[in-house]
C-alpha cells in the first residue's frame, strides 16, 4: 500500500521518512472517483429500497436527506470496520497522519466521514434558504432571481 497524506507534497521530509511511499495525486484522485462512483450507486440502492418501503413520493421529497444518509453509511461502513474505503483499496493506498505516518485515528476518520457526508447537504440547505430569502425580499437581487 502507498501512503496518502492529504495536503503534503512528495518532497515533504516527513513523508520521505515514511515506510510507505507517498501516493501520487493521480492515485488519490482515482480513489476519490471510485468512492464517489460506489457512493452514488449505494445511494441509488438506498433510494430504491426506501421507495419500495415508503413510496417514491417520500423519497423524492427527502432525496437530499437520503443522499446524505447514504454517504454517511458508505463512509461509516469502512470506518467502523477500520478498513480502507473501496476506492483506497482499489488504488492500494491508505490515508495516514502526515506527522506520524500512522493510519488516521478512528476519531479523525469519523470526522472526515461526517464532513464528507454532511457538507454537501448543509450547503444545499443553506443555498435554498438564501434563494428563498432573496426571493421574499424586495431587493434588486430578488428581481434577478
Amino acid at each position: 500500500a502507498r501512503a496518502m497524506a492529504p495536503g503534503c507534497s512528495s518532497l515533504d521530509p516527513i513523508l520521505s521518512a515514511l515506510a510507505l511511499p507517498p501516493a501520487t495525486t493521480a492515485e488519490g484522485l482515482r480513489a476519490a472517483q471510485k468512492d464517489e462512483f460506489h457512493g452514488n450507486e449505494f445511494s441509488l440502492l438506498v433510494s430504491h429500497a426506501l421507495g419500495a418501503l415508503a413510496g417514491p413520493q417520500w423519497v423524492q421529497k427527502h432525496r437530499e436527506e437520503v443522499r446524505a444518509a447514504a454517504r454517511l453509511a458508505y463512509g461509516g461502513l469502512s470506518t467502523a470496520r477500520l478498513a480502507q474505503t473501496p476506492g483506497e483499496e482499489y488504488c492500494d493506498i491508505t490515508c495516514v497522519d502526515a506527522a506520524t505516518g500512522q493510519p488516521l485515528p478512528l476519531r479523525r476518520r469519523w470526522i472526515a466521514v461526517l464532513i464528507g457526508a454532511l457538507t454537501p447537504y448543509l450547503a444545499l440547505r443553506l443555498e435554498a434558504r438564501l434563494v428563498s430569502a432573496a426571493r421574499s425580499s424586495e431587493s434588486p437581487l430578488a428581481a434577478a432571481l
Side-chain angles (χ1 to χ4, degrees), residues 8-21:
C8 296
S9 71
S10 60
L11 302 177
D12 192 329
I14 294 171
L15 286 181
S16 64
L18 290 175
L20 299 172

Side-chain angles (χ1 to χ4, degrees), residues 74-83 106 109-110 113:
Y74 177 82
L77 289 171
S78 293
T79 298
R81 62 185 186 104
L82 299 173
L106 186 59
R109 287 189 64 136
W110 273 109
V113 168

Side-chain angles (χ1 to χ4, degrees), residues 34-115:
K34 194 75 162 175
D35 282 331
E36 181 72 19
F37 172 79
H38 287 300
N40 288 338
E41 289 294 314
F42 184 72
S43 181
L44 188 62
L45 290 172
V46 168
S47 293
H48 286 305
L50 287 173
L53 294 172
Q57 293 83 8
W58 186 90
V59 173
Q60 182 62 26
K61 180 178 178 185
H62 300 285
R63 69 181 176 276
E64 296 307 327
E65 289 81 4
V66 170
R67 185 175 291 139
R71 283 182 178 160
L72 188 60
Y74 177 82
L77 289 171
S78 293
T79 298
R81 62 185 186 104
L82 299 173
Q84 297 166 297
T85 66
E88 291 170 345
E89 187 176 330
Y90 175 76
C91 294
D92 197 25
I93 60 177
T94 189
C95 198
V96 298
D97 185 307
T100 65
Q102 298 298 312
L104 288 180
L106 186 59
R107 182 173 45 147
R108 283 188 54 196
R109 287 189 64 136
W110 273 109
I111 289 170
V113 168
L114 287 170
I115 289 171

Side-chain angles (χ1 to χ4, degrees), residues 102-138:
Q102 298 298 312
L104 288 180
L106 186 59
R107 182 173 45 147
R108 283 188 54 196
R109 287 189 64 136
W110 273 109
I111 289 170
V113 168
L114 287 170
I115 289 171
L118 297 179
T119 301
Y121 172 73
L122 294 174
L124 284 171
R125 302 302 293 170
L126 177 62
E127 178 188 26
R129 285 184 182 224
L130 290 173
V131 167
S132 177
R135 286 186 178 156
S136 66
S137 71
E138 295 182 359

